[in-house]
Amino acid sequence: MGKMLKSGVTIKGTRNGLLFLLDDVRPFTVILNELRYKLEQSANIWDGPDTAVSIRLGQRQITRQEETELRQLFAIRRNLIIREIEAEGMPYLLDENRGIQIKTGTIRSGQMLEQRGDLLLLGDVNPGGSVRSTGSIYILGALRGLAHAGIEGDDSCIIAASIFRPTQLRIADAISRAPDKWEESELGSKFAYLLDGQIAVDKMNHLGQLWPDKVWKESRLRQ
Amino acid sequence: MGEAIVVTSGKGGVGKSTTSCNIGVSLALSDKKVCLVDTDIGLRNLDVLLGLENRIVFDLVDVIEENCLLSQALIKDQRCEELYLLPSAQAKDKSAVSATQINRLISQLKEQFDYVIVDCPAGIERGFKNAIRGAERAIVVTTAENTSVRDADRVIGLLEKEKIAPPKLIINRLRPKMIKNGGMMDIDEVTALLAIDLLGVVPEDEEIIRAGNLGEPLVFSTRSPASRAFYNIARRIQGESIPLLTFDREKKMVTKMKKWLGFA
């Protein structure tokens, strides 16, 4: 007999209520769909007294948004009450300060974009506008306003932009202002980082010295 | 049902009223029914630029307070077929009207006219908020100066929050000579920063001041570069696509001469 495909959602009864085991291999949306099907279809099974539910995610962590979706599904059955959500040996929620947030648009004078995690902005920051992030800030466009990376004190953050003309830069607690006049030779992508408590600016092709473990090199070995 | 277009800038003195007035007249000259609305309550100017100051009996605040009918407050400009002005009040201030009242008034005007041009006061406070209500298109006027571009940027940001089509840009009072020697930002610099569509570029022109003092909008009489620029803007508003004017004519003449002589 061939291998049986493991069910995405396994439900077990325990002394304390129901245990939902969610498969951690398949995409979470697939799991949610299967869960919705099971909760909606087999109507008669679920009707009954209030039952506590534990959800096991296995080796998967979920975002806050995914958690909301999950909880909304269980709202279909009023008597099923989620008591706990667990992942194996780690917090079930993904750390929001990790990962990259992508935004697009122009941040104009008087506007502020604030974000948790690293920020990738596909657009411009105009003078008088500001972007703030708990992580690093990468701008595919012109940075002409204020950028503050590591607003909660992370001093390993960088600020990078294709057109680097900020009025002011802040990384963690350090502040630096722009030179009074930009030289024409200073065109091109740049990044700012913290060096001994002070903000330093360098050309993008020198970023490898700051992040040696992220440097990409073409492998000499043919495979 | 017509369209309401608000002309705004944030900063004062960049030429909002001059622009409104000349665009209004140009539209009226191309056989559109146009109403110019001055919303700068307490500091009215549009009537002076149009030379209609002495004909004001009722004003915008009178209409809103229902002291008169809308038709009584509208002043017809005799020089055009269908150009009207709704003047603002001089003895009141901006708190005399609310945004909803203006909104109602503008929609009333839109039923009668093809274009309702709303001249907005400087600043981003109440007067501005009132003026942009009820408009479905916006024109942002700026000069090629840092301060005015900054304010224009702020205003564009505020307009984007409203139920208004993406604003269009007019760069006013441009001095080609100053751009050439680096004293003024050039058109590309301004449009790259503000990142909105350019509706037109108007060169600095002494005739504007003379026309304002005479109460005779520029587009009526002369064929000066500024007048042509405003006329082209009005045509672009009506959906035509017209190339931007070039202003460095002297250079052009020289190159033309060189061409004749076979140098270039």
Side-chain angles (χ1 to χ4, degrees), chain A residues 106-111 124 126-128 144 167, chain B residues 150 153-154 156-158 160 192-196:
Chain A
T106 308
I107 318 298
R108 298 184 182 277
S109 178
Q111 299 178 327
D124 296 348
N126 280 358
R144 301 192 189 92
T167 43
Chain B
R150 261 342 122 78
D153 190 42
R154 176 92 175 97
I156 295 166
L158 293 171
E160 279 170 353
L193 189 104
L194 295 178
I196 57 171

Side-chain angles (χ1 to χ4, degrees), chain A residues 10-220:
Chain A
T10 316
I11 305 163
K12 285 182 179 167
T14 65
R15 220 163 0 115
N16 301 326
L18 289 172
L19 195 59
F20 280 70
L21 302 170
L22 306 187
D23 180 36
D24 55 10
V25 181
R26 267 166 278 171
F28 198 65
T29 43
V30 176
I31 304 289
L32 284 181
N33 281 335
E34 192 175 330
L35 186 61
R36 174 179 294 121
Y37 180 81
K38 287 199 168 163
L39 286 173
E40 278 173 357
Q41 298 307 314
S42 34
N44 47 347
I45 307 176
W46 304 118
D47 295 330
D50 285 1
T51 315
V53 170
S54 304
I55 300 168
R56 297 280 152 81
L57 297 168
Q59 290 291 331
R60 187 202 302 271
Q61 286 182 307
I62 56 174
T63 63
R64 209 167 274 279
Q65 166 132 28
E66 286 169 334
E67 186 192 344
T68 330
E69 284 171 35
L70 186 63
R71 285 183 185 273
Q72 273 166 359
L73 280 187
F74 275 93
I76 305 171
R77 298 286 160 200
R78 297 250 161 142
N79 58 324
L80 295 185
I81 295 153
I82 299 179
R83 176 167 296 165
E84 52 177 7
I85 303 176
E86 268 179 5
E88 269 168 40
M90 52 190 173
Y92 74 92
L93 267 186
L94 268 177
D95 189 352
E96 283 180 327
N97 295 341
R98 296 256 194 88
I100 194 155
Q101 306 286 328
I102 302 176
K103 294 276 152 161
T104 174
T106 308
I107 318 298
R108 298 184 182 277
S109 178
Q111 299 178 327
M112 186 183 21
L113 168 63
E114 195 170 317
Q115 198 74 64
R116 300 197 69 82
D118 291 345
L119 168 68
L120 173 62
L121 174 70
L122 305 160
D124 296 348
V125 183
N126 280 358
S130 57
V131 278
R132 290 155 55 83
S133 159
T134 55
S136 293
I137 295 170
Y138 315 110
I139 296 169
L140 262 180
L143 171 59
R144 301 192 189 92
L146 186 156
H148 190 175
I151 46 177
E152 282 171 3
D154 183 355
D155 54 13
S156 65
C157 296
I158 69 159
I159 298 167
S162 338
I163 299 171
F164 200 84
R165 290 284 153 100
T167 43
Q168 205 182 82
L169 291 172
R170 300 183 191 169
I171 298 176
D173 298 326
I175 297 181
S176 83
R177 69 176 180 90
D180 288 323
K181 199 159 172 29
W182 291 98
E183 310 253 331
E184 279 301 311
S185 62
E186 289 184 272
L187 284 169
S189 318
K190 294 227 168 100
F191 71 97
Y193 61 106
L194 264 189
L195 179 68
D196 306 324
Q198 292 221 321
I199 295 176
V201 175
D202 208 339
K203 285 188 180 155
M204 197 74 92
N205 49 2
H206 296 159
L207 186 55
Q209 292 159 14
L210 188 70
W211 288 346
D213 54 321
K214 285 204 172 74
V215 175
W216 174 85
K217 277 211 177 90
E218 193 174 18
S219 171
R220 283 189 195 174

